[in-house]
Amino acid sequence: MSITNQTISEEIRTRAKELIASGEVAAFLGFTQGNLPMTTRPFVARQPADAEKLVWNSFCVMNLAKYLPELLRSLEPRRGPKDPPPEDPLPKVGVVATGCWSRNIVVQSHENQIQRDRLIVLGVASRGMVSKRRVEDRMQGREILSVEEDEHSLLVQGRGFREEIPRWDVVRDNCRSCINPDPVILDQRIGEPAPARNVKDRYRQVNEVEARTSEERWAWFQNEISNCIRCYACRNACPLCYCPTCFVDDSRPQWVGKGLDPTDTATFHILRAYHCAGRCTDCGACESACPTGIRVRLFTKKLEKDVLEMYGTEAGLHPEMPLPLTTYDANDPQGFIMAGNGPGETGKGRPSADEEVEP
Amino acid sequence: MCASLAYVARLRKDSSEEDGNLVIQMDRTIDESAAWEPKIIAFLCTWCSYAGADLAGVSRFQYPPSIRIVKVPCSSRISANLILDALRAGADGVLVSGCHPGDCHFISGNYYARRRFALLKNLLEFVGIEPGRINFSWVSAAEGERFSQIVREVTERVTKLGPASRLVKKPLPEITAYSTHSGAYQRTLEY
């Protein structure tokens, strides 16, 4: 067992127990061990005894911010549709947060899905989460019965085999290109803070696609989503996807069909990525949740790159700044707008800036 | 798809050729490949672009009849869902046009729209939709001639790209059997 993970797990358990026992929080959101090797599941501890079940390891791949809005709402006193909103103080929730999850908390707080003062955030700096799929690929079809984590390696065991693999080799892509593993907001800190990472080429995967022609990109895109079974696990795991009626559930008008038509699948992925523009923190929950291994986060990564280049902001990094698509600047880039400067019928077209125009 | 008729007149010698009679046979064939014209959905904001298009019409500025205009209150009404819906329906191109920045009838609608469109255009090109399928412009109510230029330019771009095929949602064959489109009905009778 990795010493770091052991220390952090114990610390989380102690603090959660304290918070629940003292009544400061009504519920604590963390992870507990899953049934299968290499899985954890998000877990809500409501009694002090539940806090013993909390764990922390390199397989905590879901984003806890997903569960916060609903959890906070469920803890409010019951009221009918016409009753006035409940008065403060409302029950609080404790949550563990790494860099990307804390940024999602900031985004949700901007979008009024949660109230920051109802949260007690225990900040943990992430060392990068491991992709279960990568470990399974390395074992080439042999069934994995248990995985033990050491500080920098994983010990994978199955029937008739034991292999030790370097941990960093199987860490998820988004964690490898992360520049902010430390939480941006926290109330209590657990473990050592991590400095901002200097990553050489954050958008390498996006740039690789952009280097191709339009036909090649379409072929790549169709191939990437060809395995999609439209289970919507990516949407269900995403903390940004909290719409009561998702656009895929709309029937009048129907934006996306219900079947597996490739056009519908393409529309779903394009629009879902688009709805995350400027809000996605590249937490990787979508890719980790996908049962068929689609690299869903590449589409949102492209949008993240564009937002950074054009508008200079990144989702949730600066709690005081508004989200990019809820604001504007008079000098936003508009090179893509058609100029319409042709000569036209009268031979004149638009007067240039130097010409004098008669009033 | 727009089909144009091409009359092909063929001179054919009849069996009674010895008499020196020539029988002229006129064949009427539907030449679908010639003169295909794109269908472009144009979302125009009511206060500036639609008025500009109206001015183009009143002033008799000619532009290709490829656009189908949808009047919306403001360019910021256009969401990505709508643009993709146009592409799915089979539009060969989309044009979204609003007021110039600073002149929006609703003060800031086009500013928000500008950010949205920039990101959408980049995303669509990233996944392989040809550049030039969706286009954006600012046209004011006084720019009738410029509107016609823009439509001409967009039509040129889209014609060069050819009919749209990448994000088109084709209806199921069972549905076309019951549609009122006689051509489709005739075809399914052959099965």
Side-chain angles (χ1 to χ4, degrees):
Chain A
M1 175 57 140
S2 151
I3 305 291
T4 321
N5 287 347
Q6 182 82 357
T7 323
I8 296 179
S9 295
E10 281 170 8
E11 191 67 32
I12 292 178
R13 283 180 208 140
T14 321
R15 305 264 190 111
K17 203 174 202 154
E18 262 173 44
L19 286 170
I20 300 175
S22 68
E24 204 173 335
V25 298
F28 190 90
L29 184 54
F31 287 96
T32 187
Q33 198 57 45
N35 285 337
L36 300 172
M38 297 190 284
T39 53
T40 54
R41 42 169 116 110
F43 174 70
V44 179
R46 297 178 202 262
Q47 309 293 336
D50 290 339
E52 285 306 311
K53 297 194 196 142
L54 293 167
V55 298
W56 181 260
N57 55 36
S58 298
F59 298 104
C60 297
V61 290
M62 287 296 116
N63 190 327
L64 290 179
K66 166 76 189 180
Y67 310 99
L68 277 179
E70 202 179 321
L71 185 57
L72 283 171
R73 270 197 296 269
S74 72
L75 289 173
E76 289 174 19
R78 293 186 64 134
R79 64 182 205 270
K82 298 223 173 110
D83 294 342
E87 285 177 11
D88 287 327
L90 291 169
K92 294 191 184 185
V93 165
V95 65
V96 188
T98 61
C100 45
W101 309 342
S102 64
R103 287 165 58 199
N104 279 116
I105 292 176
V106 170
V107 169
Q108 282 177 344
S109 157
H110 270 303
E111 297 177 347
N112 289 325
Q113 294 300 308
I114 60 170
Q115 297 82 41
R116 170 71 182 95
D117 50 5
R118 284 181 67 191
L119 289 182
I120 309 246
V121 179
L122 304 192
V124 180
S126 171
R127 291 174 63 222
M129 298 297 172
V130 168
S131 159
K132 184 168 83 135
R133 194 162 280 118
R134 289 219 163 135
V135 178
E136 286 168 355
D137 284 345
R138 283 198 168 213
M139 297 303 122
Q140 293 174 336
R142 293 173 291 173
E143 191 187 353
I144 297 173
L145 294 177
S146 80
V147 174
E148 275 161 37
E149 221 188 309
D150 206 353
E151 210 57 31
H152 296 290
S153 61
L154 299 174
L155 184 59
V156 184
Q157 296 185 63
R159 250 185 280 279
F161 71 91
R162 274 167 79 94
E163 274 185 43
E164 193 163 329
I165 54 180
R167 198 192 86 103
W168 191 249
D169 281 3
V170 287
V171 162
R172 301 186 296 184
D173 281 337
N174 60 295
C175 297
R176 295 169 82 97
S177 62
C178 170
I179 57 170
N180 270 298
D182 213 44
V184 300
I185 54 165
L186 48 73
D187 294 311
Q188 300 177 22
R189 180 176 279 285
I190 297 186
E192 296 299 316
R197 292 175 71 231
N198 192 2
V199 178
K200 223 179 346 173
D201 189 3
R202 288 175 69 188
Y203 302 108
R204 180 181 58 83
Q205 288 173 317
V206 168
N207 293 335
E208 269 170 20
V209 176
E210 291 197 302
R212 304 180 193 178
T213 66
S214 185
E215 285 71 31
E216 288 170 351
R217 291 184 201 180
W218 185 247
W220 162 80
F221 178 61
Q222 290 293 85
N223 186 43
E224 193 73 45
I225 62 172
S226 58
N227 283 336
C228 182
I229 56 175
R230 305 278 290 289
C231 64
Y232 300 129
C234 50
R235 175 197 69 169
N236 293 343
C238 179
L240 309 172
C241 292
Y242 50 71
C243 291
T245 305
C246 178
F247 75 94
V248 298
D249 299 327
D250 250 341
S251 57
R252 291 164 83 176
Q254 190 181 59
W255 306 112
V256 184
K258 302 292 184 194
L260 287 182
D261 190 302
T263 305
D264 285 330
T265 306
T267 310
F268 165 64
H269 284 283
I270 293 172
L271 277 183
R272 197 190 87 80
Y274 183 75
H275 288 165
C276 301
R279 309 157 66 216
C280 171
T281 59
D282 206 17
C283 69
C286 50
E287 210 170 276
S288 300
C290 178
T292 62
I294 297 174
R295 294 180 300 168
V296 186
R297 44 169 283 281
L298 283 187
F299 316 134
T300 31
K301 196 72 177 168
K302 161 67 179 166
L303 283 162
E304 189 192 310
K305 175 181 170 203
D306 279 345
V307 167
L308 185 59
E309 281 176 6
M310 292 200 278
Y311 312 125
T313 62
E314 274 196 70
L317 260 190
H318 305 286
E320 65 286 350
M321 285 186 59
L323 292 172
L325 283 183
T326 62
T327 183
Y328 60 86
D329 186 271
N331 300 320
D332 279 333
Q334 57 172 35
F336 65 99
I337 305 273
M338 294 181 62
N341 275 340
E345 278 192 21
T346 56
K348 275 190 252 161
R350 292 192 92 187
S352 67
D354 324 327
E355 263 180 52
E356 282 181 15
V357 181
E358 290 192 15
Chain B
M1 191 183 264
C2 196
S4 67
L5 303 173
Y7 284 91
V8 177
R10 270 188 262 153
L11 279 171
R12 214 169 67 146
K13 289 197 167 181
D14 201 66
S15 50
S16 47
E17 188 193 355
E18 292 85 26
D19 306 337
N21 287 336
L22 284 170
V23 177
I24 296 180
Q25 184 117 16
M26 297 275 273
D27 278 6
R28 187 169 164 236
T29 58
I30 297 182
D31 187 3
E32 290 200 346
S33 61
W36 160 77
E37 281 182 29
K39 285 199 182 77
I40 298 169
I41 309 286
F43 294 103
L44 304 182
C45 88
T46 304
W47 309 100
C48 284
S49 299
Y50 188 83
D54 196 53
L55 181 60
V58 162
S59 321
R60 304 284 201 235
F61 288 124
Q62 299 293 315
Y63 58 79
S66 53
I67 62 167
R68 276 77 169 139
I69 296 178
V70 176
K71 181 165 77 156
V72 295
C74 181
S75 48
S76 59
R77 170 67 180 92
I78 304 303
S79 62
N81 300 23
L82 283 170
I83 296 181
L84 281 199
D85 197 62
L87 290 175
R88 283 162 57 88
D92 301 304
V94 173
L95 169 65
V96 181
S97 186
C99 310
H100 285 274
D103 296 340
C104 178
H105 180 84
F106 300 100
I107 319 294
S108 52
N110 54 359
Y111 284 134
Y112 293 114
R114 182 166 56 179
R115 286 207 169 189
R116 234 184 269 159
F117 298 152
L119 294 174
L120 179 65
K121 188 171 167 43
N122 284 352
L123 178 65
L124 285 179
E125 287 176 12
F126 180 73
V127 296
I129 305 294
E130 306 97 314
R133 285 277 178 218
I134 63 170
N135 303 280
F136 305 98
S137 66
W138 307 132
V139 173
S140 85
E143 292 176 327
E145 184 175 11
R146 192 159 157 270
F147 180 77
S148 63
Q149 279 160 228
I150 284 179
V151 175
R152 211 171 292 129
E153 211 179 304
V154 169
T155 310
E156 236 181 81
R157 283 187 192 179
V158 174
T159 313
K160 250 189 274 196
L161 294 173
S165 59
R166 290 187 184 173
L167 258 189
V168 181
K169 175 81 190 281
K170 299 180 186 49
L172 300 171
E174 301 87 68
I175 296 180
T176 35
Y178 293 104
S179 80
T180 52
H181 186 27
S182 58
Y185 188 60
Q186 291 300 317
R187 265 178 244 133
T188 52
L189 282 181
E190 291 164 13
Y191 290 116

